[in-house]
Amino acid sequence: MKKLCLTFILSWLVGFVSYSQKSNLVKADNYRKYDQLDNAKDAIDEATLNEQTRIMDKTWYYRGLIYHALYNHATYGYLCDHCLDTAYSAYMKANEISPSGEWASDISSVRLPYLSRDFFDRGVKEFNKGKYIDAMNSFEKVQKITPGDTSSLRNAAYSAEKAKNYEKAKEYYGRLVSMKYHDANIYMALSNIYKQLNDTTRALIAVQDGRKVFPDDMNLILAEINILLSLGRNSEAIEALESAVKRDSKNPTLYLALGSTYDKVANPKDANGKDLVRPINYGEMMVKAEQTYQHGLEVSPNNFELNYNLGAIFYNQAAEMNNAANNLKSVAEYDKAKLRYVSKFQDAQPYLEKALDISPNDRSTLLSLKELYSKTNQMDKYNRVKSILDNMK
């Protein structure tokens, strides 16, 4: 009789303990429903450590609910540092224990989408605070929940690039390209990353891939040209631009880019901006630059850059002629040379004055005109421009 009683008591105790542990789940959920999240957290944390309840999908489902509720909670949010991540891991654990269980459908169709929304919002806040690695991790979580979400993938790429995690940035931008994400900036970013890694060949490929999708995107056109020029592939750079101008002959920006390219080819510089020896076809390139800017002005006469660049060509030529004249020893020869350089300054004048009309406070234009008026003895205009510059100091 005593043995029977002892067996009964032990059985009862085991059942009581089991019931007690499972009741923690009920208490945890009730505390959650009544917004007593401190008590709910304590109860669910205990349940996840207990051998009997830690193997139940319900335990982890409730843990996901409670920790998600803790996220940004006005009173209890301080109780966890990584509430969303803990909630996500809990839901994954619940699905791992019972992939087709009672909570699986609610987790996939309701709970994870809510988490995805909050991970995305958290990532945006982290990015805006300059916490780029944290932002990348947040957007990566959104990707795990919704792999086809291009917004989170794009933001993960931006964050990785800002964090200088170029391997991940390349991966994410590459995925966007493969998903045919319609944004020329993706190709530009990918190209810039390769340039950071000193892989100019891949940088060029990225830009050229972008131009297949966005043939008229000016940033891609200029990026391709700059890379080609840096590789010494000048003829390809010019060919790319000339082709673009033919396709869009009313685009002043293309004329600006082509004219600038002719000018760069004619006046090469090293990495430090120091002048290099001019090419044999210098004269031809400069004539083409002038003509291209003039064609651009026919399309857009009020374009500041076109006016300024064309004026700068004549101004720089005049300045060189002036320097050469100063080295002449014969007064007669100097007088003849002066007539030529003054005439060239006068060629520059209408374009620089037009540029100043368009952008009255442009310092470079004002300085050029000040020197021009001095060389051409237009002292009233010289004094007016000098006064403007003095007031800008």
PDB file of all heavy atoms in Angstrom, residues 359-391:
ATOM      1  N   SER A 359      24.667  82.907 -65.382  1.00  0.00           N
ATOM      2  CA  SER A 359      25.069  82.640 -63.991  1.00  0.00           C
ATOM      3  C   SER A 359      25.899  83.816 -63.477  1.00  0.00           C
ATOM      4  O   SER A 359      27.131  83.782 -63.516  1.00  0.00           O
ATOM      5  CB  SER A 359      25.872  81.333 -63.917  1.00  0.00           C
ATOM      6  OG  SER A 359      26.204  81.006 -62.590  1.00  0.00           O
ATOM      7  N   PRO A 360      25.235  84.873 -62.990  1.00  0.00           N
ATOM      8  CA  PRO A 360      25.915  86.142 -62.668  1.00  0.00           C
ATOM      9  C   PRO A 360      26.959  86.046 -61.557  1.00  0.00           C
ATOM     10  O   PRO A 360      27.805  86.933 -61.460  1.00  0.00           O
ATOM     11  CB  PRO A 360      24.758  87.058 -62.243  1.00  0.00           C
ATOM     12  CG  PRO A 360      23.530  86.440 -62.824  1.00  0.00           C
ATOM     13  CD  PRO A 360      23.781  84.972 -62.830  1.00  0.00           C
ATOM     14  N   ASN A 361      26.891  85.026 -60.732  1.00  0.00           N
ATOM     15  CA  ASN A 361      27.821  84.933 -59.606  1.00  0.00           C
ATOM     16  C   ASN A 361      28.892  83.869 -59.799  1.00  0.00           C
ATOM     17  O   ASN A 361      29.567  83.486 -58.830  1.00  0.00           O
ATOM     18  CB  ASN A 361      27.040  84.643 -58.314  1.00  0.00           C
ATOM     19  CG  ASN A 361      26.108  85.779 -57.929  1.00  0.00           C
ATOM     20  OD1 ASN A 361      26.490  86.942 -58.003  1.00  0.00           O
ATOM     21  ND2 ASN A 361      24.893  85.441 -57.541  1.00  0.00           N
ATOM     22  N   ASP A 362      29.059  83.401 -61.025  1.00  0.00           N
ATOM     23  CA  ASP A 362      30.075  82.380 -61.262  1.00  0.00           C
ATOM     24  C   ASP A 362      31.462  83.012 -61.224  1.00  0.00           C
ATOM     25  O   ASP A 362      31.815  83.839 -62.073  1.00  0.00           O
ATOM     26  CB  ASP A 362      29.846  81.687 -62.607  1.00  0.00           C
ATOM     27  CG  ASP A 362      30.830  80.557 -62.827  1.00  0.00           C
ATOM     28  OD1 ASP A 362      30.671  79.498 -62.186  1.00  0.00           O
ATOM     29  OD2 ASP A 362      31.778  80.750 -63.603  1.00  0.00           O
ATOM     30  N   ARG A 363      32.243  82.614 -60.241  1.00  0.00           N
ATOM     31  CA  ARG A 363      33.539  83.254 -60.005  1.00  0.00           C
ATOM     32  C   ARG A 363      34.517  83.014 -61.151  1.00  0.00           C
ATOM     33  O   ARG A 363      35.274  83.926 -61.534  1.00  0.00           O
ATOM     34  CB  ARG A 363      34.129  82.724 -58.696  1.00  0.00           C
ATOM     35  CG  ARG A 363      35.376  83.469 -58.258  1.00  0.00           C
ATOM     36  CD  ARG A 363      35.824  83.036 -56.874  1.00  0.00           C
ATOM     37  NE  ARG A 363      36.977  83.793 -56.449  1.00  0.00           N
ATOM     38  CZ  ARG A 363      36.939  85.009 -55.926  1.00  0.00           C
ATOM     39  NH1 ARG A 363      35.782  85.610 -55.746  1.00  0.00           N
ATOM     40  NH2 ARG A 363      38.047  85.643 -55.562  1.00  0.00           N
ATOM     41  N   SER A 364      34.524  81.808 -61.705  1.00  0.00           N
ATOM     42  CA  SER A 364      35.464  81.506 -62.795  1.00  0.00           C
ATOM     43  C   SER A 364      35.206  82.404 -64.000  1.00  0.00           C
ATOM     44  O   SER A 364      36.146  82.906 -64.634  1.00  0.00           O
ATOM     45  CB  SER A 364      35.339  80.039 -63.202  1.00  0.00           C
ATOM     46  OG  SER A 364      35.739  79.194 -62.144  1.00  0.00           O
ATOM     47  N   THR A 365      33.938  82.610 -64.310  1.00  0.00           N
ATOM     48  CA  THR A 365      33.592  83.478 -65.439  1.00  0.00           C
ATOM     49  C   THR A 365      34.012  84.915 -65.167  1.00  0.00           C
ATOM     50  O   THR A 365      34.569  85.605 -66.036  1.00  0.00           O
ATOM     51  CB  THR A 365      32.082  83.417 -65.722  1.00  0.00           C
ATOM     52  OG1 THR A 365      31.657  82.063 -65.826  1.00  0.00           O
ATOM     53  CG2 THR A 365      31.741  84.143 -67.015  1.00  0.00           C
ATOM     54  N   LEU A 366      33.753  85.380 -63.958  1.00  0.00           N
ATOM     55  CA  LEU A 366      34.119  86.746 -63.594  1.00  0.00           C
ATOM     56  C   LEU A 366      35.631  86.960 -63.680  1.00  0.00           C
ATOM     57  O   LEU A 366      36.097  87.987 -64.197  1.00  0.00           O
ATOM     58  CB  LEU A 366      33.620  87.053 -62.180  1.00  0.00           C
ATOM     59  CG  LEU A 366      32.106  87.258 -62.033  1.00  0.00           C
ATOM     60  CD1 LEU A 366      31.696  87.174 -60.573  1.00  0.00           C
ATOM     61  CD2 LEU A 366      31.694  88.623 -62.620  1.00  0.00           C
ATOM     62  N   LEU A 367      36.397  85.999 -63.184  1.00  0.00           N
ATOM     63  CA  LEU A 367      37.855  86.131 -63.226  1.00  0.00           C
ATOM     64  C   LEU A 367      38.375  86.149 -64.661  1.00  0.00           C
ATOM     65  O   LEU A 367      39.278  86.921 -65.008  1.00  0.00           O
ATOM     66  CB  LEU A 367      38.499  84.982 -62.450  1.00  0.00           C
ATOM     67  CG  LEU A 367      38.353  85.047 -60.924  1.00  0.00           C
ATOM     68  CD1 LEU A 367      38.811  83.737 -60.294  1.00  0.00           C
ATOM     69  CD2 LEU A 367      39.154  86.228 -60.348  1.00  0.00           C
ATOM     70  N   SER A 368      37.774  85.294 -65.513  1.00  0.00           N
ATOM     71  CA  SER A 368      38.205  85.275 -66.917  1.00  0.00           C
ATOM     72  C   SER A 368      37.892  86.597 -67.604  1.00  0.00           C
ATOM     73  O   SER A 368      38.715  87.143 -68.354  1.00  0.00           O
ATOM     74  CB  SER A 368      37.511  84.118 -67.653  1.00  0.00           C
ATOM     75  OG  SER A 368      37.893  82.870 -67.121  1.00  0.00           O
ATOM     76  N   LEU A 369      36.706  87.123 -67.337  1.00  0.00           N
ATOM     77  CA  LEU A 369      36.317  88.386 -67.968  1.00  0.00           C
ATOM     78  C   LEU A 369      37.159  89.551 -67.448  1.00  0.00           C
ATOM     79  O   LEU A 369      37.511  90.467 -68.202  1.00  0.00           O
ATOM     80  CB  LEU A 369      34.834  88.658 -67.733  1.00  0.00           C
ATOM     81  CG  LEU A 369      33.884  87.864 -68.636  1.00  0.00           C
ATOM     82  CD1 LEU A 369      32.445  88.037 -68.173  1.00  0.00           C
ATOM     83  CD2 LEU A 369      34.022  88.302 -70.090  1.00  0.00           C
ATOM     84  N   LYS A 370      37.507  89.500 -66.178  1.00  0.00           N
ATOM     85  CA  LYS A 370      38.358  90.553 -65.628  1.00  0.00           C
ATOM     86  C   LYS A 370      39.686  90.623 -66.380  1.00  0.00           C
ATOM     87  O   LYS A 370      40.150  91.702 -66.793  1.00  0.00           O
ATOM     88  CB  LYS A 370      38.603  90.294 -64.145  1.00  0.00           C
ATOM     89  CG  LYS A 370      39.522  91.319 -63.491  1.00  0.00           C
ATOM     90  CD  LYS A 370      39.853  90.919 -62.053  1.00  0.00           C
ATOM     91  CE  LYS A 370      40.905  91.836 -61.461  1.00  0.00           C
ATOM     92  NZ  LYS A 370      41.338  91.396 -60.122  1.00  0.00           N
ATOM     93  N   GLU A 371      40.301  89.465 -66.583  1.00  0.00           N
ATOM     94  CA  GLU A 371      41.566  89.407 -67.306  1.00  0.00           C
ATOM     95  C   GLU A 371      41.376  89.805 -68.764  1.00  0.00           C
ATOM     96  O   GLU A 371      42.202  90.532 -69.345  1.00  0.00           O
ATOM     97  CB  GLU A 371      42.140  87.995 -67.213  1.00  0.00           C
ATOM     98  CG  GLU A 371      43.495  87.806 -67.862  1.00  0.00           C
ATOM     99  CD  GLU A 371      44.618  88.530 -67.142  1.00  0.00           C
ATOM    100  OE1 GLU A 371      44.400  88.995 -65.987  1.00  0.00           O
ATOM    101  OE2 GLU A 371      45.725  88.652 -67.726  1.00  0.00           O
ATOM    102  N   LEU A 372      40.284  89.336 -69.364  1.00  0.00           N
ATOM    103  CA  LEU A 372      40.005  89.649 -70.771  1.00  0.00           C
ATOM    104  C   LEU A 372      39.843  91.155 -70.972  1.00  0.00           C
ATOM    105  O   LEU A 372      40.415  91.735 -71.909  1.00  0.00           O
ATOM    106  CB  LEU A 372      38.736  88.905 -71.205  1.00  0.00           C
ATOM    107  CG  LEU A 372      38.321  89.007 -72.674  1.00  0.00           C
ATOM    108  CD1 LEU A 372      37.534  87.757 -73.077  1.00  0.00           C
ATOM    109  CD2 LEU A 372      37.434  90.229 -72.949  1.00  0.00           C
ATOM    110  N   TYR A 373      39.060  91.797 -70.093  1.00  0.00           N
ATOM    111  CA  TYR A 373      38.835  93.240 -70.235  1.00  0.00           C
ATOM    112  C   TYR A 373      40.138  94.008 -70.039  1.00  0.00           C
ATOM    113  O   TYR A 373      40.361  95.044 -70.679  1.00  0.00           O
ATOM    114  CB  TYR A 373      37.793  93.720 -69.219  1.00  0.00           C
ATOM    115  CG  TYR A 373      36.400  93.177 -69.473  1.00  0.00           C
ATOM    116  CD1 TYR A 373      35.559  92.852 -68.406  1.00  0.00           C
ATOM    117  CD2 TYR A 373      35.921  93.005 -70.766  1.00  0.00           C
ATOM    118  CE1 TYR A 373      34.269  92.377 -68.622  1.00  0.00           C
ATOM    119  CE2 TYR A 373      34.628  92.517 -70.987  1.00  0.00           C
ATOM    120  CZ  TYR A 373      33.810  92.197 -69.919  1.00  0.00           C
ATOM    121  OH  TYR A 373      32.552  91.710 -70.136  1.00  0.00           O
ATOM    122  N   SER A 374      40.988  93.500 -69.165  1.00  0.00           N
ATOM    123  CA  SER A 374      42.275  94.158 -68.961  1.00  0.00           C
ATOM    124  C   SER A 374      43.130  94.079 -70.227  1.00  0.00           C
ATOM    125  O   SER A 374      43.728  95.082 -70.653  1.00  0.00           O
ATOM    126  CB  SER A 374      43.014  93.508 -67.793  1.00  0.00           C
ATOM    127  OG  SER A 374      44.324  94.011 -67.670  1.00  0.00           O
ATOM    128  N   LYS A 375      43.176  92.896 -70.834  1.00  0.00           N
ATOM    129  CA  LYS A 375      44.010  92.702 -72.024  1.00  0.00           C
ATOM    130  C   LYS A 375      43.468  93.460 -73.235  1.00  0.00           C
ATOM    131  O   LYS A 375      44.232  93.834 -74.138  1.00  0.00           O
ATOM    132  CB  LYS A 375      44.100  91.213 -72.351  1.00  0.00           C
ATOM    133  CG  LYS A 375      44.783  90.367 -71.287  1.00  0.00           C
ATOM    134  CD  LYS A 375      46.227  90.775 -71.065  1.00  0.00           C
ATOM    135  CE  LYS A 375      46.923  89.884 -70.049  1.00  0.00           C
ATOM    136  NZ  LYS A 375      48.322  90.310 -69.797  1.00  0.00           N
ATOM    137  N   THR A 376      42.166  93.683 -73.269  1.00  0.00           N
ATOM    138  CA  THR A 376      41.560  94.355 -74.427  1.00  0.00           C
ATOM    139  C   THR A 376      41.264  95.835 -74.126  1.00  0.00           C
ATOM    140  O   THR A 376      40.582  96.505 -74.915  1.00  0.00           O
ATOM    141  CB  THR A 376      40.264  93.638 -74.842  1.00  0.00           C
ATOM    142  OG1 THR A 376      39.378  93.553 -73.707  1.00  0.00           O
ATOM    143  CG2 THR A 376      40.550  92.233 -75.343  1.00  0.00           C
ATOM    144  N   ASN A 377      41.754  96.296 -72.959  1.00  0.00           N
ATOM    145  CA  ASN A 377      41.638  97.709 -72.600  1.00  0.00           C
ATOM    146  C   ASN A 377      40.183  98.189 -72.520  1.00  0.00           C
ATOM    147  O   ASN A 377      39.849  99.295 -72.941  1.00  0.00           O
ATOM    148  CB  ASN A 377      42.436  98.577 -73.576  1.00  0.00           C
ATOM    149  CG  ASN A 377      42.723  99.959 -73.009  1.00  0.00           C
ATOM    150  OD1 ASN A 377      42.881 100.104 -71.792  1.00  0.00           O
ATOM    151  ND2 ASN A 377      42.773 100.972 -73.860  1.00  0.00           N
ATOM    152  N   GLN A 378      39.313  97.364 -71.961  1.00  0.00           N
ATOM    153  CA  GLN A 378      37.919  97.753 -71.740  1.00  0.00           C
ATOM    154  C   GLN A 378      37.773  98.055 -70.244  1.00  0.00           C
ATOM    155  O   GLN A 378      37.228  97.256 -69.474  1.00  0.00           O
ATOM    156  CB  GLN A 378      36.972  96.633 -72.175  1.00  0.00           C
ATOM    157  CG  GLN A 378      37.100  96.258 -73.652  1.00  0.00           C
ATOM    158  CD  GLN A 378      36.161  95.135 -74.060  1.00  0.00           C
ATOM    159  OE1 GLN A 378      34.941  95.314 -74.088  1.00  0.00           O
ATOM    160  NE2 GLN A 378      36.728  93.976 -74.381  1.00  0.00           N
ATOM    161  N   MET A 379      38.256  99.211 -69.842  1.00  0.00           N
ATOM    162  CA  MET A 379      38.429  99.488 -68.423  1.00  0.00           C
ATOM    163  C   MET A 379      37.109  99.683 -67.670  1.00  0.00           C
ATOM    164  O   MET A 379      37.029  99.360 -66.476  1.00  0.00           O
ATOM    165  CB  MET A 379      39.324 100.713 -68.239  1.00  0.00           C
ATOM    166  CG  MET A 379      40.722 100.519 -68.844  1.00  0.00           C
ATOM    167  SD  MET A 379      41.470  98.895 -68.414  1.00  0.00           S
ATOM    168  CE  MET A 379      41.659  99.072 -66.647  1.00  0.00           C
ATOM    169  N   ASP A 380      36.071 100.180 -68.329  1.00  0.00           N
ATOM    170  CA  ASP A 380      34.780 100.331 -67.649  1.00  0.00           C
ATOM    171  C   ASP A 380      34.244  98.948 -67.239  1.00  0.00           C
ATOM    172  O   ASP A 380      33.793  98.753 -66.101  1.00  0.00           O
ATOM    173  CB  ASP A 380      33.767 101.039 -68.555  1.00  0.00           C
ATOM    174  CG  ASP A 380      34.072 102.519 -68.717  1.00  0.00           C
ATOM    175  OD1 ASP A 380      34.870 103.040 -67.903  1.00  0.00           O
ATOM    176  OD2 ASP A 380      33.532 103.144 -69.644  1.00  0.00           O
ATOM    177  N   LYS A 381      34.308  98.022 -68.197  1.00  0.00           N
ATOM    178  CA  LYS A 381      33.849  96.666 -67.888  1.00  0.00           C
ATOM    179  C   LYS A 381      34.768  95.998 -66.875  1.00  0.00           C
ATOM    180  O   LYS A 381      34.326  95.252 -65.999  1.00  0.00           O
ATOM    181  CB  LYS A 381      33.766  95.843 -69.173  1.00  0.00           C
ATOM    182  CG  LYS A 381      32.646  96.269 -70.109  1.00  0.00           C
ATOM    183  CD  LYS A 381      32.529  95.326 -71.308  1.00  0.00           C
ATOM    184  CE  LYS A 381      31.332  95.694 -72.177  1.00  0.00           C
ATOM    185  NZ  LYS A 381      31.161  94.760 -73.319  1.00  0.00           N
ATOM    186  N   TYR A 382      36.059  96.278 -67.012  1.00  0.00           N
ATOM    187  CA  TYR A 382      37.032  95.714 -66.063  1.00  0.00           C
ATOM    188  C   TYR A 382      36.690  96.156 -64.635  1.00  0.00           C
ATOM    189  O   TYR A 382      36.657  95.334 -63.703  1.00  0.00           O
ATOM    190  CB  TYR A 382      38.437  96.174 -66.436  1.00  0.00           C
ATOM    191  CG  TYR A 382      39.484  95.839 -65.383  1.00  0.00           C
ATOM    192  CD1 TYR A 382      40.121  94.602 -65.373  1.00  0.00           C
ATOM    193  CD2 TYR A 382      39.820  96.784 -64.396  1.00  0.00           C
ATOM    194  CE1 TYR A 382      41.076  94.301 -64.400  1.00  0.00           C
ATOM    195  CE2 TYR A 382      40.765  96.487 -63.427  1.00  0.00           C
ATOM    196  CZ  TYR A 382      41.381  95.241 -63.435  1.00  0.00           C
ATOM    197  OH  TYR A 382      42.316  94.940 -62.470  1.00  0.00           O
ATOM    198  N   ASN A 383      36.438  97.443 -64.443  1.00  0.00           N
ATOM    199  CA  ASN A 383      36.151  97.970 -63.116  1.00  0.00           C
ATOM    200  C   ASN A 383      34.848  97.406 -62.554  1.00  0.00           C
ATOM    201  O   ASN A 383      34.735  97.150 -61.343  1.00  0.00           O
ATOM    202  CB  ASN A 383      36.090  99.498 -63.154  1.00  0.00           C
ATOM    203  CG  ASN A 383      37.476 100.106 -63.376  1.00  0.00           C
ATOM    204  OD1 ASN A 383      38.489  99.561 -62.934  1.00  0.00           O
ATOM    205  ND2 ASN A 383      37.517 101.241 -64.073  1.00  0.00           N
ATOM    206  N   ARG A 384      33.878  97.222 -63.442  1.00  0.00           N
ATOM    207  CA  ARG A 384      32.589  96.678 -62.975  1.00  0.00           C
ATOM    208  C   ARG A 384      32.766  95.250 -62.469  1.00  0.00           C
ATOM    209  O   ARG A 384      32.279  94.883 -61.393  1.00  0.00           O
ATOM    210  CB  ARG A 384      31.565  96.708 -64.119  1.00  0.00           C
ATOM    211  CG  ARG A 384      30.201  96.128 -63.733  1.00  0.00           C
ATOM    212  CD  ARG A 384      29.196  96.317 -64.856  1.00  0.00           C
ATOM    213  NE  ARG A 384      29.613  95.633 -66.067  1.00  0.00           N
ATOM    214  CZ  ARG A 384      29.400  94.319 -66.284  1.00  0.00           C
ATOM    215  NH1 ARG A 384      28.800  93.587 -65.380  1.00  0.00           N
ATOM    216  NH2 ARG A 384      29.783  93.778 -67.427  1.00  0.00           N
ATOM    217  N   VAL A 385      33.485  94.423 -63.236  1.00  0.00           N
ATOM    218  CA  VAL A 385      33.704  93.035 -62.837  1.00  0.00           C
ATOM    219  C   VAL A 385      34.577  92.960 -61.584  1.00  0.00           C
ATOM    220  O   VAL A 385      34.329  92.156 -60.681  1.00  0.00           O
ATOM    221  CB  VAL A 385      34.344  92.234 -64.003  1.00  0.00           C
ATOM    222  CG1 VAL A 385      34.810  90.864 -63.521  1.00  0.00           C
ATOM    223  CG2 VAL A 385      33.353  92.087 -65.142  1.00  0.00           C
ATOM    224  N   LYS A 386      35.584  93.825 -61.526  1.00  0.00           N
ATOM    225  CA  LYS A 386      36.462  93.846 -60.347  1.00  0.00           C
ATOM    226  C   LYS A 386      35.665  94.181 -59.091  1.00  0.00           C
ATOM    227  O   LYS A 386      35.881  93.607 -58.012  1.00  0.00           O
ATOM    228  CB  LYS A 386      37.577  94.871 -60.549  1.00  0.00           C
ATOM    229  CG  LYS A 386      38.574  94.919 -59.392  1.00  0.00           C
ATOM    230  CD  LYS A 386      39.681  95.920 -59.694  1.00  0.00           C
ATOM    231  CE  LYS A 386      40.703  95.971 -58.544  1.00  0.00           C
ATOM    232  NZ  LYS A 386      40.117  96.374 -57.270  1.00  0.00           N
ATOM    233  N   SER A 387      34.741  95.097 -59.226  1.00  0.00           N
ATOM    234  CA  SER A 387      33.908  95.484 -58.078  1.00  0.00           C
ATOM    235  C   SER A 387      33.061  94.302 -57.590  1.00  0.00           C
ATOM    236  O   SER A 387      32.910  94.074 -56.386  1.00  0.00           O
ATOM    237  CB  SER A 387      33.004  96.658 -58.470  1.00  0.00           C
ATOM    238  OG  SER A 387      32.137  96.989 -57.410  1.00  0.00           O
ATOM    239  N   ILE A 388      32.519  93.577 -58.548  1.00  0.00           N
ATOM    240  CA  ILE A 388      31.713  92.399 -58.172  1.00  0.00           C
ATOM    241  C   ILE A 388      32.571  91.381 -57.430  1.00  0.00           C
ATOM    242  O   ILE A 388      32.168  90.834 -56.390  1.00  0.00           O
ATOM    243  CB  ILE A 388      31.083  91.758 -59.432  1.00  0.00           C
ATOM    244  CG1 ILE A 388      30.089  92.719 -60.089  1.00  0.00           C
ATOM    245  CG2 ILE A 388      30.399  90.439 -59.074  1.00  0.00           C
ATOM    246  CD1 ILE A 388      29.570  92.243 -61.431  1.00  0.00           C
ATOM    247  N   LEU A 389      33.764  91.139 -57.942  1.00  0.00           N
ATOM    248  CA  LEU A 389      34.659  90.173 -57.309  1.00  0.00           C
ATOM    249  C   LEU A 389      35.091  90.636 -55.929  1.00  0.00           C
ATOM    250  O   LEU A 389      35.166  89.849 -54.982  1.00  0.00           O
ATOM    251  CB  LEU A 389      35.887  89.953 -58.190  1.00  0.00           C
ATOM    252  CG  LEU A 389      35.670  89.064 -59.429  1.00  0.00           C
ATOM    253  CD1 LEU A 389      36.864  89.191 -60.384  1.00  0.00           C
ATOM    254  CD2 LEU A 389      35.469  87.614 -59.019  1.00  0.00           C
ATOM    255  N   ASP A 390      35.358  91.954 -55.788  1.00  0.00           N
ATOM    256  CA  ASP A 390      35.766  92.487 -54.489  1.00  0.00           C
ATOM    257  C   ASP A 390      34.658  92.303 -53.454  1.00  0.00           C
ATOM    258  O   ASP A 390      34.933  92.012 -52.272  1.00  0.00           O
ATOM    259  CB  ASP A 390      36.124  93.973 -54.616  1.00  0.00           C
ATOM    260  CG  ASP A 390      37.438  94.185 -55.373  1.00  0.00           C
ATOM    261  OD1 ASP A 390      38.208  93.211 -55.510  1.00  0.00           O
ATOM    262  OD2 ASP A 390      37.658  95.312 -55.843  1.00  0.00           O
ATOM    263  N   ASN A 391      33.424  92.464 -53.877  1.00  0.00           N
ATOM    264  CA  ASN A 391      32.281  92.331 -52.959  1.00  0.00           C
ATOM    265  C   ASN A 391      31.989  90.881 -52.603  1.00  0.00           C
ATOM    266  O   ASN A 391      31.262  90.598 -51.643  1.00  0.00           O
ATOM    267  CB  ASN A 391      31.027  92.966 -53.568  1.00  0.00           C
ATOM    268  CG  ASN A 391      31.114  94.482 -53.626  1.00  0.00           C
ATOM    269  OD1 ASN A 391      31.764  95.105 -52.773  1.00  0.00           O
ATOM    270  ND2 ASN A 391      30.476  95.089 -54.618  1.00  0.00           N
TER     271      ASN A 391
END
